[in-house]
Amino acid sequence: MVKDIKSMYEDELKEELAGMGEPSYRAAQVYKWLHSGVKSFDEMTNISKKLREKLVQSYYISSAAIEKKLISDYDDTRKYLFSFRDGEAVESVLMKYHHGYTSCISTQVGCKMGCTFCATGRSGFSRDLTASEMIAQLQAEQQDNNIRISNVVLMGMGEPLDNFDNVIRFLRLVSSEHGMNIGMRHISLSTCGIVPRIYELAEMKLQLTLSVSLHAPNDDIRSRTMPINRRYSIEELLRACRCYSDMTGRRISFEYAMIDGVNDSDECASELAGRLRGMLSHVNLIPVNSVSGTGYKKSKRERMQKFISVLEKAGITATVRRTLGSDINASCGQLRRSLEKEDQ
Ligand code: SAH
Ligand code: SF4
């Protein structure tokens, strides 16, 4: 069976190539080529033809093929549907900020978590992505736009902590000096709250930003919209978050999608403030994106302002997240879902 060469750490590649009788500097050369985005071994011009032929027989290079691309008329946000060698497809979004390009990538094809407001959650789960398939999304966007990506968010399709080993591998590869060299401080990971994995991540003391999708101030509301809450209560989740910021010194960012009449009352705001008191945190409020079949509507602008003022009076910092690419359904899961409908 051919192996996934771009998911290997530089040390692992060294061992593989040593097995073929190659010196260790050869692994460094191959590693650099792989992470510069080549799609075939033939592009590795400083590697002998003989070795390239051997490599082709034992390994494959993951790449992401552009199936579809949508460009926002408002702000140049680009949304991609990428497919991999087995035909499975995921979405990724490239956003331009004043400090550079940020890419929001997927970590799984679909998701098992079943959050009721989420297009990905409603479409079910196919498989985990490999580390190289996460890297390939970034490389395809860089090549298509002739740019360098400076920030990465794991906020596309899938639950990153449900694909823990591949995600950790991706983080180490993408931040490696001979890889894309994107520092952990420029990476955010968003989770619905798989508590034991948050502790595991805290132990690793990586300098990435942890975003937690909270979306509700109490178990009653949260369990209705996010099934994971029936496994781990808000109290358990916030205990893990406190541990994470104690261990890493990093502030946690809480995502809160505002749904009209569900989680956006003043009572919800004060309850949320009470929960987060004394924690190193920031709350991002996002008007929920309506997904067909959910019946959810976004909260009114005035309601969101009122919600924020209750939080601020209680000393909790919060911002309304700027929504980029709203005309192209930039929140993940929606493009693939609309294609599935076209197919039917
Ligand atoms: N599985 C991870 C990361 C991917 S989802 C997680 O849940 O955190 C990325 C973010 O989009 C999460 O904060 C998620 O709650 C949010 N999201 C999903 N559907 C949404 C919708 N319809 N409107 C607004 N935000 C949504
Ligand atoms: Fe999965 Fe995140 Fe969507 Fe929930 S919000 S279904 S965890 S992708």
Side-chain angles (χ1 to χ4, degrees), residues 58-245:
S58 310
Y59 306 101
Y60 72 89
I61 303 177
S62 277
S63 63
I66 301 174
E67 291 295 327
K68 198 161 178 167
K69 174 163 81 172
L70 295 176
I71 304 175
S72 167
D73 289 335
Y74 305 148
D75 52 36
D76 217 31
T77 296
R78 280 146 203 252
K79 175 158 185 162
Y80 291 89
L81 184 74
F82 290 125
S83 67
F84 300 111
R85 59 206 293 271
D86 64 351
E88 289 286 4
V90 298
E91 299 175 14
S92 176
V93 181
L94 182 68
M95 294 157 286
K96 190 175 180 187
Y97 290 98
H98 56 274
H99 56 265
Y101 286 92
T102 296
S103 174
C104 171
I105 61 165
S106 292
T107 55
Q108 295 179 315
V109 186
C111 184
K112 298 175 206 156
M113 301 297 140
C115 304
T116 56
F117 47 78
C118 173
T120 306
R122 296 173 70 85
S123 309
F125 174 80
S126 301
R127 69 167 173 87
D128 285 330
L129 291 192
T130 61
S132 63
E133 288 170 331
M134 296 175 215
I135 290 171
Q137 296 171 57
L138 302 173
Q139 291 175 329
E141 287 169 350
Q142 291 200 151
Q143 284 163 5
D144 190 45
N145 298 285
N146 202 16
I147 49 134
R148 296 228 26 104
I149 288 166
S150 53
N151 293 67
V152 177
V153 296
L154 303 185
M155 254 199 202
M157 299 169 74
E159 168 49 48
L161 299 187
D162 184 44
N163 184 13
F164 196 77
D165 294 347
N166 290 327
V167 163
I168 297 298
R169 187 171 272 277
F170 162 76
L171 293 171
R172 297 203 190 282
L173 289 170
V174 81
S175 60
S176 68
E177 196 191 338
H178 296 149
M180 291 179 76
N181 205 7
I182 300 177
M184 292 282 186
R185 286 182 176 271
H186 296 267
I187 304 176
S188 300
L189 183 155
S190 177
T191 178
C192 65
I194 303 185
V195 166
R197 299 299 203 191
I198 295 178
Y199 284 111
E200 235 177 290
L201 197 63
E203 292 284 341
M204 293 180 173
K205 294 200 169 66
L206 305 176
Q207 285 300 300
L208 49 82
T209 301
L210 185 66
S211 268
V212 172
S213 301
L214 200 56
H215 305 319
N218 58 48
D219 288 327
D220 191 29
I221 301 177
R222 196 165 192 266
S223 293
R224 262 187 278 147
T225 51
M226 301 182 73
I228 188 73
N229 198 72
R230 296 175 211 150
R231 281 278 289 285
Y232 310 107
S233 67
I234 293 197
E235 199 176 316
E236 287 171 90
L237 173 57
L238 293 180
R239 201 179 306 134
C241 291
R242 280 193 195 92
C243 166
Y244 186 89
S245 43

